[in-house]
């Protein structure tokens, strides 16, 4: 579904990503892991065109998207979240979801129409609220949500865009154990019928969710495979997992 060929990104004299050949298969949950500074978020920024590559190519569903901009890539179905929760804080939970759903209707640009014109979106909004456990908070502002529920809302708005590929940048960052279990369940449910790419430091989550794992170090692939293969790799243990980790 997503493939890179010789993908490279340099910032002056520093090479953050070097000759990366990455293949992400359709319908899988693919995790990118590695130590801090390994280039994981830079790879996300390159795939979603928030950064232009210095060299190499990016393919999405068989099409070369290297020259496309971020908005066009998102419209084609590759949508991402960010390390820091990105929602509209002063809008309600329901309004956040409605804005995301409006994109597919064409109503986004018809600001002269009354609010009733958006009633067709209510059923889909209610389904997203139920699936994310946010139904009881639908009328409150996003700013009043706990951090974990803000992460749930962000994933819900990402799902509202009906992506073919969903990229999640550290979705468990800053969450308590209860919220981690809730978000992990949502990611698993969201993966049905779509491809998920995830940067995540929580190795228990990576182990439980991922079909395939790519380990990055200094912007290059250090190892790749299923969790047990990667966890047993001596280079990975040395560079990232640590001898005492599971």
């Amino acid at each position: 579904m997503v493939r890179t060929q010789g993908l490279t990104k340099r910032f002056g004299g520093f090479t953050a990503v070097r000759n990366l050949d990455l293949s992400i298969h359709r319908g899988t949950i693919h995790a990118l892991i590695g130590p801090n500074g390994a280039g994981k978020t830079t790879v996300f920024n390159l795939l979603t065109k928030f950064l232009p590559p210095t060299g190499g190519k990016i393919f999405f569903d068989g099409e070369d998207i290297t020259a496309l901009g971020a908005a066009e890539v998102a419209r084609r179905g590759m949508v991402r979240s960010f390390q820091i929760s990105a929602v509209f804080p002063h809008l309600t939970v329901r309004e956040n979801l409605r804005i995301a759903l409006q994109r597919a209707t064409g109503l986004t640009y018809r600001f002269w129409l009354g609010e009733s014109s958006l009633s067709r979106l209510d059923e889909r909004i209610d389904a997203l609220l139920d699936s994310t456990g946010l139904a009881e908070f639908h009328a409150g502002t996003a700013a009043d949500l706990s951090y974990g529920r803000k992460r749930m809302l962000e994933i819900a708005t990402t799902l509202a865009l009906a992506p073919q590929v969903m990229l999640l940048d550290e979705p468990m960052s800053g969450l308590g154990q209860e919220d981690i279990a809730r978000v992990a369940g949502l990611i698993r449910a969201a993966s049905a019928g779509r491809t998920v790419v995830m940067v995540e430091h929580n190795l228990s989550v990576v182990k439980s969710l991922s079909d395939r794992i790519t380990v990055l170090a200094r912007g290059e692939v250090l190892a790749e495979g299923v969790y047990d293969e990667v966890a047993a790799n001596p280079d990975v243990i040395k560079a990232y997992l640590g001898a005492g980790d599971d």
Side-chain angles (χ1 to χ4, degrees), residues 147-160:
Y147 182 76
R149 291 194 174 97
K150 284 179 184 175
R151 298 297 281 180
M152 295 289 283
L153 177 57
E154 184 179 23
I155 294 175
T157 57
T158 304
L159 287 171

Side-chain angles (χ1 to χ4, degrees), residues 89 91-96 136-145 153:
L91 297 181
T92 68
V93 170
R94 176 174 287 275
E95 288 167 341
N96 269 271
E136 65 179 288
F137 307 101
H138 75 99
T141 62
D144 292 332
L145 294 175
L153 177 57

Side-chain angles (χ1 to χ4, degrees), residues 8-227:
T8 298
K9 181 60 182 180
R10 288 190 292 271
F11 297 95
F14 172 68
T15 301
V17 177
R18 186 190 306 272
N19 294 324
L20 180 67
D21 293 333
L22 180 66
S23 292
I24 298 165
H25 297 286
R26 188 186 307 271
T28 62
I29 300 178
H30 194 124
L32 300 180
I33 68 172
N36 289 331
K40 305 180 296 296
T41 296
T42 301
V43 170
F44 260 37
N45 288 333
L46 291 169
L47 293 179
T48 52
K49 307 315 302 293
F50 281 76
L51 284 175
T54 305
K57 293 184 177 181
I58 305 168
F59 298 88
F60 173 55
D61 201 14
E63 182 181 357
D64 187 345
I65 63 168
T66 311
L68 298 183
E72 180 60 28
V73 169
R75 280 193 289 268
R76 293 183 184 218
M78 185 154 58
V79 179
R80 67 169 296 178
S81 70
F82 294 85
Q83 289 182 16
I84 300 173
S85 184
V87 297
F88 295 106
H90 301 300
L91 297 181
T92 68
V93 170
R94 176 174 287 275
E95 288 167 341
N96 269 271
L97 291 174
R98 188 170 65 188
I99 286 174
L101 287 168
Q102 279 180 245
R103 185 200 64 83
T105 67
L107 295 175
T108 309
Y109 308 104
R110 301 177 185 176
F111 294 112
W112 60 88
L113 294 179
E115 188 173 0
S116 61
S117 66
L118 301 174
S119 61
R120 72 181 75 172
L121 303 177
D122 287 345
E123 184 175 350
R124 178 65 177 139
I125 291 172
D126 289 340
L128 285 165
L129 289 168
D130 288 340
S131 68
T132 54
L134 293 172
E136 65 179 288
F137 307 101
H138 75 99
T141 62
D144 292 332
L145 294 175
S146 68
Y147 182 76
R149 291 194 174 97
K150 284 179 184 175
R151 298 297 281 180
M152 295 289 283
L153 177 57
E154 184 179 23
I155 294 175
T157 57
T158 304
L159 287 171
L161 297 173
Q164 296 182 63
V165 177
M166 185 165 65
L167 297 97
L168 303 175
D169 197 356
E170 298 193 29
M172 307 301 169
S173 176
L175 300 184
Q177 196 58 45
E178 182 179 344
D179 286 331
I180 286 174
R182 186 181 292 116
V183 172
L186 178 57
I187 292 171
R188 190 186 302 279
S191 67
R194 62 172 53 86
T195 305
V196 177
V197 190
M198 178 175 64
V199 168
E200 183 52 56
H201 285 294
N202 187 316
L203 296 183
S204 295
V205 170
V206 170
K207 181 178 182 179
S208 67
L209 288 180
S210 302
D211 299 301
R212 192 163 185 83
I213 299 165
T214 298
V215 184
L216 298 178
R218 297 179 296 278
E220 299 179 274
V221 175
L222 181 64
E224 193 168 75
V226 298
Y227 183 88

